[in-house]
């Protein structure tokens, strides 16, 4: 699997660190309430298909990326810098 | 005051000559990480040009010579190698002295690119990675920086604590490449 880093270009998967769902970028307001925070911290959709994920180019430029990856085929259709995605 | 003698990262480990390949420690001088503040890239580049004669390199590029070299070192970060940085730079960028933090090794000789092909998971052939190109990637299992300084001349940098591992991995790759030629 290769990931197209917007800064470094196409790189091997081993250079990247996987964080989890890109939902982490959508942090609720501190006073959003228990339900919103419960959803943010614990609840994830897990479709057999496209996921939006956070990866870090750890062994490369260090940038955090939002990667759209199909978990059934590992096809990647879009990679953006996390700073541009928020 | 006691005059202390600095011990380099690869003291006692290099140089290493195998076949026509040479791995030697490279003294890059003072190393300073320069991280321009948001929106200050141009100001930092202009100031670097005025004070040290080099501009801010774009991603994946290295500029300069052995006296003053500036290496792209990651997102929003470059490494100035050589001179002590002007304190004026602190107005436009965060500066951090890294002089003793890195192990710097130059690999040269015909076949150097074949040695690195065994260690670095990117295309370093001259067609894709000519002089003036640099990359942050992996060297073996170590995170590091690789720059092309010329034909069959590469600069490798890893964390100083990894110096022994780098020399071991390099020696193994150099031996296997030479054995096949």
């Amino acid at each position: 699997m290769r990931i197209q880093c917007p800064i470094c270009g196409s790189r091997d998967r081993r250079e990247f660190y996987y964080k989890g769902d890109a939902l982490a970028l959508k942090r609720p307001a501190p006073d959003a309430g228990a339900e919103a925070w419960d959803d943010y911290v614990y609840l994830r959709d897990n479709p057999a298909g496209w996921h939006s994920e956070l990866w870090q180019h750890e062994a490369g430029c260090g940038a955090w990326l939002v990667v759209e990856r199909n978990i059934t085929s590992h096809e990647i259709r879009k990679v953006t810098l996390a700073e541009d995605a928020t | 005051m006691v005059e202390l003698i600095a011990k380099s990262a690869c003291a006692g480990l290099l140089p290493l000559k195998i076949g026509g390949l040479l791995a030697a420690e490279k003294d890059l001088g003072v190393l300073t990480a320069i991280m321009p503040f948001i929106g200050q890239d141009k100001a930092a580049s202009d100031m670097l040009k005025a004070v040290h004669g080099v501009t801010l390199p774009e991603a994946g590029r290295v500029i300069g010579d052995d006296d003053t070299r500036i290496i792209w070192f990651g997102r929003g970060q470059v490494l100035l190698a050589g001179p002590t940085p002007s304190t004026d730079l602190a107005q436009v960028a965060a500066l951090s002295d890294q002089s003793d933090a890195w192990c710097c090794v130059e690999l040269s000789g015909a076949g150097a690119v074949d040695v690195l092909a065994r260690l670095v998971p990117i295309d370093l052939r001259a067609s894709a990675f000519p002089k003036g190109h640099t990359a942050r990637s992996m060297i073996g299992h170590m995170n590091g920086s690789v720059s092309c300084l010329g034909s069959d001349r590469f600069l490798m940098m890893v964390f100083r604590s990894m110096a022994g591992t780098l020399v071991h991995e390099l020696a193994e790759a150099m031996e296997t490449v030479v054995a096949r030629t």
Side-chain angles (χ1 to χ4, degrees):
Chain A
M1 192 170 105
R2 292 181 74 82
I3 296 177
Q4 182 77 26
C5 172
I7 296 174
C8 302
S10 174
R11 292 295 181 93
D12 192 87
R13 176 248 174 277
R14 83 189 91 155
E15 292 190 7
F16 296 85
Y17 168 78
Y18 171 73
K19 169 73 167 63
D21 198 303
L23 178 76
L25 296 171
K26 301 188 184 84
R27 188 184 175 89
D31 57 358
E35 200 172 305
W37 274 96
D38 179 56
D39 187 51
Y40 172 72
V41 176
Y42 297 111
L43 305 181
R44 297 287 181 270
D45 294 330
N46 188 25
W50 290 100
H51 282 230
S52 184
E53 302 170 326
L54 273 177
W55 291 73
Q56 190 198 11
H57 196 188
E58 183 207 8
C61 60
W64 280 95
L65 309 172
V66 175
V67 176
E68 284 185 26
R69 181 174 68 102
N70 189 319
I71 64 161
T72 57
S73 63
H74 295 308
E75 181 193 346
I76 290 170
R77 66 179 176 191
K78 194 177 170 202
V79 183
T80 46
L81 290 174
E83 69 174 345
D84 298 334
T86 50
Chain B
M1 189 68 187
V2 179
E3 276 292 316
L4 298 174
I5 300 168
K7 189 179 177 191
S8 70
C10 295
L13 299 170
L14 293 175
L16 194 65
K17 198 170 184 327
I18 300 174
L21 293 161
L22 175 70
E25 182 155 34
K26 194 166 176 70
D27 182 1
L28 292 176
V30 176
L31 301 179
T32 311
I34 301 176
M35 291 149 280
F37 299 134
I38 291 170
Q40 296 291 320
D41 279 15
K42 186 170 183 322
S45 188
D46 290 347
M47 195 175 285
L48 275 166
K49 182 74 183 164
V51 182
H52 297 297
V54 287
T55 53
L56 205 65
E58 57 181 293
R61 295 293 185 275
V62 50
I63 304 174
D65 52 28
D66 281 351
D67 293 329
T68 304
R69 183 170 278 126
I70 192 158
I71 307 166
W72 176 83
F73 222 53
R75 174 174 165 267
Q77 188 178 139
V78 297
L79 191 77
L80 179 67
T84 305
S86 160
T87 48
D88 290 348
L89 281 167
Q91 296 165 19
V92 291
L95 309 177
S96 145
D97 180 16
Q98 310 253 327
S99 302
D100 289 328
W102 294 88
C103 160
C104 312
V105 176
E106 183 178 326
L107 178 70
S108 56
V113 71
D114 302 323
V115 173
L116 289 182
R118 290 170 181 257
L119 297 171
V120 183
I122 57 175
D123 188 356
L124 295 177
R125 290 173 300 176
S127 53
F129 199 80
K131 182 183 177 188
H133 280 231
T134 187
R136 288 299 300 260
S137 184
M138 302 182 89
I139 304 171
H141 290 108
M142 296 166 287
N143 293 358
S145 157
V146 182
S147 306
C148 183
L149 303 183
S151 176
D152 277 322
R153 275 180 68 217
F154 293 93
L155 172 69
M156 282 162 287
M157 300 177 70
V158 298
F159 303 136
R160 185 191 176 106
S161 59
M162 306 281 178
T165 309
L166 176 68
V167 172
H168 176 254
E169 300 239 16
L170 260 181
E172 204 169 77
M174 287 162 75
E175 278 165 11
T176 46
V177 166
V178 169
R180 292 177 72 91
T181 50

